[in-house]
Amino acid sequence: MLDRNGSRVAIEPYGPGIVHVTIALDPEEIEKGAGYGISGKPDAAGWSHRADAAGDTYRSGDLAVTVNAQPWPKAPTQMERYFVPSLPPVSIAVRGADGREIVAMNGWELAPHEVNGEKTFRIGASFGEAPGTHYYGLGQNQEGALDLRGRTIDCRHNYDAPTGETVCVPFLVTDKGYAILWDNPSVTTVSPGINDRVQFQSRVGERVSFFIVTGKTTDELYAGYAKLTGRTPLPPKAAFGLIQSKARYETQAELMGIADGYAKRGLPLDVMVLDWFHWTRMGQMDIDRTAFPDPSGMNRELHSRGLHTLLSVWPRYEREGRYYDMLASKGWFLKDPDGEPAYGLAIRSDRVGALLDSTNPDARQWFWGKIRDNLASEGFDWFWLDETEPDLVPAGKFYLIGSGDRFYNLYPLVHTAGVAEGSAKDRPDFRNLILARAAYTGAQASGAIFWTADVHSSWEALKRQVPATLGMAASGIAYTSSDTGGWQWPHGPKAERPVLVDPAGATAMSPDYRDYPELFVRWFQYNSFTPTLRIHGQRPATALWEYGTAAEPILADWLRLRYAMIPYLYSLGRRTYEGGAPFMRALFMDFGSDPKVADIRDQYMLGPAFLVAPVVEQGRTSRPVYLPAGADWYDYWTNKRYTGGQTVEAAAPIERMPLFVRAGSIVPVGAAIRNTSEKQSLKAIRVYPGRDARFTLYDDDGVTNAYQRGGGAKAELIWNDATGRLSASGRLPTGQDAASLVEVVRGQ
């Protein structure tokens, strides 16, 4: 611990390219270590320390971190007595092995104030920036931006944000080889690239705590994030198939009728979801036997078809419920300033229910126990943890661990972790899956997949989904998608252009929303090329055939394409588990040397092969697509080859979403299956020539945790562009011969 005229500073390595910086006036604040969500351990191997007149320098093979010397302050001038802070200054420079400055922290803030009856501080730090730096991440923001430069981000969980829910994951990634992980769960304001600096400011705290993560590539930055906060587990294979939901299936017969409808039509399906109000009362944690007379039998029947089920479980309890008095007596609810359970939410007229205090480990353990005994015992496989912001806003209230203002953004981490830990203990070889509506630092390690909350069913909302999900991926949250078709009741302005999908026969919306089937088709095309594909919504009907006779064959074709891509997607999921980097990738991640990609917010890479360009405007039958420089590109539909570094007008008739494949790609294509419980052989290994390529194909049983113990099988596919031959490192996981499956795409 260093002393800079009363400011205490600690530099703690977590690896050769990662440091934890803590600054405080009170040495005890330094000694507390990293905060919530940080599961990695300090690692100073290979680091050295040297002190000289310039300051204290900590050096590894990758970095040199200098806490600059600070001279004893002179007596203040008359003006300084009034306008200069008395906080002893601290400045820190982070340089690469070549001596080039990567980033510098130029100042810190510790300003006393009172929040929620607690005497505390507003804390902050400011960082310099290299000219032209671009910034990404900080969780979910639905205002339509990707590059955060020049914006001020209110990093908080806010269900009621005007453009759609915001989620705070305080990981700020740059295109200059570093990222900042801010270690404070209170409401935080971040201003990247304003007045030539980056400023973080949190509402509650007694210290400044942050991590600098460096790397030569963006993938190295995400590997650093995973080292600090935990790996992203490989979801069950079913999570890569179709997840069918509705708000809500009223009866067991209705739910089974939808499953029957998919089977009757020969459409693949993997997961049926039972959403809210399947219970007898909020907080009963039961199944209404009037509407669902035999949930155990229902699940047995679905399992016999190779399907799985996902059940919504809320952390809210109404006073008349069977558990309320017990939970209140134990103090296991979020409390108001008088120590009573906080009940209901005045805004949105949401006036029923107290919130389980999931910061309390005993409450978390109890919650999982009731899920296990009351719900998993009926055969439900996985659980949807809704309202994880939490929905009852914690500001002005109190958790067991402290003020709701101090821990404002923490709830989704501890709430999902409780279920993940319980499942690991009681179902050790059954792979966990959680659907959650919000995240925080480290929440990806719970095995959760996330979605963008209850968005509108409109073209405007669809357009915002692309940068919103890319922002979450850029924050280290690899599995994020959206409710296909939007959640809110379908309504929108009258279509301005000719409607591309005849709405005849559609039952998913009211008759006056004529372009809704077109919107659903475009949304489904987009979500077919995101990490997870889930249909959901508060509308009369949601299943694939309920958008009209014109939409159904288009949707069926895209669903089959999604299932053909599962060998590719599942292999990418394994890669994310091993390395930490997301496979839904904003273009800056792979083409950082091309300045034109910095703020392209409506295109992205899905893995190393696919450039995806969703159509997000009504009536459009083409759209401009920028093909990044440094590669050639194949139009997926026509095989026409293009040189990168140009914008093309891509055809987009309603049956197509523009897709391009990078030259030098290997794409395994799966055979048709009913669902992922079937062993899926490969139909082809498609090669797009233009450079040497490698792709690691992976497969396993899809449901157990054996993959964490070395289970499953891999084969590295290797394309030699000069010889025009593809080889494999060994037998394919499917048992097939690779050479017999090769299809080389010849560009036109």
Side-chain angles (χ1 to χ4, degrees):
M1 188 186 305
L2 306 176
D3 188 338
R4 290 296 182 264
N5 304 324
S7 292
R8 305 304 177 98
V9 185
I11 304 295
E12 196 172 27
Y14 274 67
I18 307 172
V19 291
H20 178 210
V21 178
T22 317
I23 312 170
L25 295 179
D26 184 349
E28 291 185 4
E29 292 296 328
I30 303 283
E31 293 166 1
K32 289 179 180 178
Y36 284 93
I38 307 299
S39 57
K41 302 301 180 186
D43 179 6
W47 284 80
S48 62
H49 171 228
R50 187 185 73 183
D52 56 26
D56 287 79
T57 297
Y58 299 82
R59 191 181 299 275
S60 72
D62 293 349
L63 294 182
V65 182
T66 300
V67 182
N68 297 318
Q70 297 289 346
W72 186 257
K74 64 180 179 58
T77 66
Q78 184 72 12
M79 181 172 286
E80 287 171 340
R81 290 178 186 273
Y82 290 95
F83 298 111
V84 173
S86 59
L87 195 66
V90 174
S91 62
I92 301 170
V94 180
R95 295 181 175 85
D98 59 0
R100 178 186 59 87
E101 184 171 280
I102 296 173
V103 65
M105 192 212 79
N106 299 322
W108 72 298
E109 176 185 7
L110 194 69
H113 66 163
E114 185 173 310
V115 180
N116 202 10
E118 182 179 25
K119 292 186 184 301
T120 181
F121 298 85
R122 184 183 63 225
I123 63 103
S126 62
F127 302 82
E129 65 155 12
T133 303
H134 298 278
Y135 302 91
Y136 308 92
L138 295 181
Q140 177 177 291
N141 187 290
Q142 301 198 54
E143 293 181 354
L146 177 64
D147 181 6
L148 304 179
R149 180 178 180 80
R151 305 180 70 241
T152 294
I153 305 302
D154 182 17
C155 203
R156 77 170 80 197
H157 305 327
N158 183 5
Y159 178 89
D160 296 297
T163 55
E165 179 168 355
T166 60
V167 170
C168 184
V169 182
F171 188 50
L172 181 68
V173 176
T174 77
D175 63 347
K176 301 297 184 185
Y178 75 93
I180 301 170
L181 178 58
W182 188 252
D183 180 24
N184 185 299
S186 71
V187 170
T188 298
T189 301
V190 189
S191 302
I194 296 179
N195 293 327
D196 303 316
R197 65 177 183 171
V198 178
Q199 186 168 18
F200 286 80
Q201 190 178 79
S202 292
R203 190 161 186 250
V204 181
E206 286 73 42
R207 66 177 190 173
V208 166
S209 174
F210 61 88
F211 293 81
I212 299 292
V213 181
T214 63
K216 296 180 181 65
T217 65
T218 53
D219 281 12
E220 290 185 10
L221 300 182
Y222 292 109
Y225 177 81
K227 181 180 178 65
L228 290 173
T229 66
R231 284 182 166 185
T232 300
L234 177 61
K237 192 181 289 186
F240 294 85
L242 177 62
I243 304 172
Q244 174 64 46
S245 183
K246 178 187 172 185
R248 65 186 172 96
Y249 295 119
E250 302 281 347
T251 65
Q252 181 172 328
E254 182 187 4
L255 187 150
M256 291 301 298
I258 296 300
D260 291 343
Y262 277 93
K264 175 183 175 182
R265 292 166 175 82
L267 297 172
L269 172 68
D270 262 274
V271 182
M272 287 298 301
V273 181
L274 183 52
D275 196 3
W276 63 355
F277 293 104
H278 57 263
W279 48 71
T280 55
R281 303 191 83 103
M282 186 183 291
Q284 290 287 86
M285 302 185 74
D286 63 357
I287 305 295
D288 182 354
R289 298 302 177 115
T290 303
F292 296 86
D294 186 12
S296 181
M298 178 185 75
N299 281 310
R300 281 196 303 273
E301 173 60 26
L302 292 171
H303 290 160
S304 74
R305 305 180 189 186
L307 301 177
H308 291 84
T309 49
L310 180 72
L311 182 71
S312 175
V313 186
W314 285 25
R316 286 174 67 181
Y317 299 80
E318 60 179 302
R319 292 190 180 102
E320 296 79 8
R322 59 176 164 176
Y323 298 122
Y324 182 91
D325 289 344
M326 180 275 294
L327 293 169
S329 69
K330 290 181 176 292
W332 288 358
F333 287 134
L334 179 72
K335 298 181 181 64
D336 64 23
D338 295 326
E340 297 298 319
Y343 198 85
L345 190 66
I347 60 173
R348 301 199 305 274
S349 301
D350 188 356
R351 295 193 171 93
V352 174
L355 177 77
L356 185 76
D357 180 0
S358 292
T359 72
N360 185 323
D362 293 332
R364 291 199 300 269
Q365 185 176 358
W366 175 87
F367 184 69
W368 163 253
K370 292 305 172 192
I371 290 176
R372 177 196 61 212
D373 296 344
N374 296 4
L375 304 171
S377 64
E378 296 287 355
F380 291 99
D381 297 294
W382 302 306
F383 300 96
W384 174 357
L385 303 184
D386 210 339
E387 297 204 320
T388 46
E389 292 84 2
D391 210 33
L392 270 65
V393 179
K397 303 177 180 68
F398 294 88
Y399 293 120
L400 171 72
I401 60 173
S403 161
D405 294 84
R406 178 180 291 273
F407 298 104
Y408 190 96
N409 291 319
L410 183 65
Y411 196 85
L413 171 67
V414 293
H415 190 61
T416 57
V419 170
E421 291 161 3
S423 181
K425 177 177 178 292
D426 294 327
R427 308 187 299 180
D429 210 30
F430 185 65
R431 202 177 306 179
N432 184 41
L433 179 69
I434 293 169
L435 178 61
R437 197 168 72 183
Y440 181 63
T441 303
Q444 80 287 340
S446 68
I449 60 176
F450 302 90
W451 94 103
T452 56
D454 302 337
V455 297
H456 285 270
S457 299
S458 68
W459 291 97
E460 181 183 356
L462 171 59
K463 187 174 184 178
R464 291 192 179 111
Q465 296 316 295
V466 186
T469 48
L470 290 176
M472 278 287 270
S475 308
I477 308 298
Y479 293 94
T480 303
S481 190
S482 58
D483 290 342
T484 307
W487 186 80
Q488 304 287 357
W489 187 272
H491 66 279
K494 185 177 179 179
E496 296 180 358
R497 304 180 187 91
V499 174
L500 299 182
V501 177
D502 186 342
T507 57
M509 75 294 177
S510 57
D512 60 344
Y513 197 174
R514 297 189 66 254
D515 56 311
Y516 183 69
E518 179 188 342
L519 171 65
F520 186 86
V521 166
R522 292 306 196 189
W523 211 315
F524 192 84
Q525 290 170 344
Y526 158 59
N527 274 353
S528 294
F529 275 72
T530 61
T532 59
L533 172 62
R534 186 172 60 93
I535 300 174
H536 188 48
Q538 189 184 30
R539 50 188 180 268
T542 64
L544 221 62
W545 54 90
E546 295 173 317
Y547 302 90
T549 54
E552 184 178 343
I554 303 171
L555 296 169
D557 285 347
W558 277 87
L559 181 60
R560 294 186 182 104
L561 177 57
R562 170 72 182 199
Y563 273 80
M565 290 296 103
I566 283 180
Y568 175 75
L569 295 170
Y570 198 63
S571 298
L572 297 180
R574 174 73 193 203
R575 181 188 295 189
T576 294
Y577 166 71
E578 292 176 342
F583 58 90
M584 183 177 182
R585 303 168 65 82
L587 298 183
F588 82 90
M589 295 182 183
D590 296 303
F591 305 99
S593 61
D594 184 346
K596 293 182 180 179
V597 308
D599 195 27
I600 292 180
R601 62 192 71 176
D602 61 351
Q603 300 175 205
Y604 57 91
M605 295 297 295
L606 192 68
F610 286 97
L611 175 66
V612 185
V615 179
V616 295
E617 293 182 4
Q618 189 274 322
R620 295 294 188 191
T621 56
S622 69
R623 61 151 292 175
V625 178
Y626 179 70
L627 305 175
D632 281 0
W633 299 90
Y634 292 83
D635 184 316
Y636 176 80
W637 304 107
T638 67
N639 293 336
K640 183 175 180 180
R641 185 167 172 171
Y642 296 87
T643 301
Q646 64 171 317
T647 298
V648 299
E649 189 67 20
I654 191 61
E655 298 85 7
R656 292 187 198 169
M657 173 179 69
L659 293 171
F660 290 82
V661 184
R662 180 163 38 178
S665 291
I666 301 170
V667 180
V669 180
I673 51 174
R674 290 182 311 150
N675 51 58
T676 60
S677 69
E678 295 182 5
K679 188 70 175 176
Q680 187 178 26
S681 61
L682 293 184
K683 179 181 178 182
I685 299 174
R686 201 167 291 158
V687 176
Y688 293 81
R691 61 172 183 164
D692 292 344
R694 292 173 179 263
F695 185 86
T696 301
L697 184 66
Y698 173 80
D699 199 14
D700 59 25
D701 59 37
V703 292
T704 75
N705 288 317
Y707 79 95
Q708 298 176 345
R709 304 184 296 272
K714 290 182 181 180
E716 187 173 28
L717 305 175
I718 305 163
W719 169 253
N720 186 310
D721 206 53
T723 63
R725 295 188 60 231
L726 183 132
S727 59
S729 62
R731 195 166 182 81
L732 300 183
T734 58
Q736 296 168 278
D737 174 57
S740 65
L741 298 168
V742 176
E743 294 180 359
V744 180
V745 175
R746 302 301 178 186
Q748 299 177 9

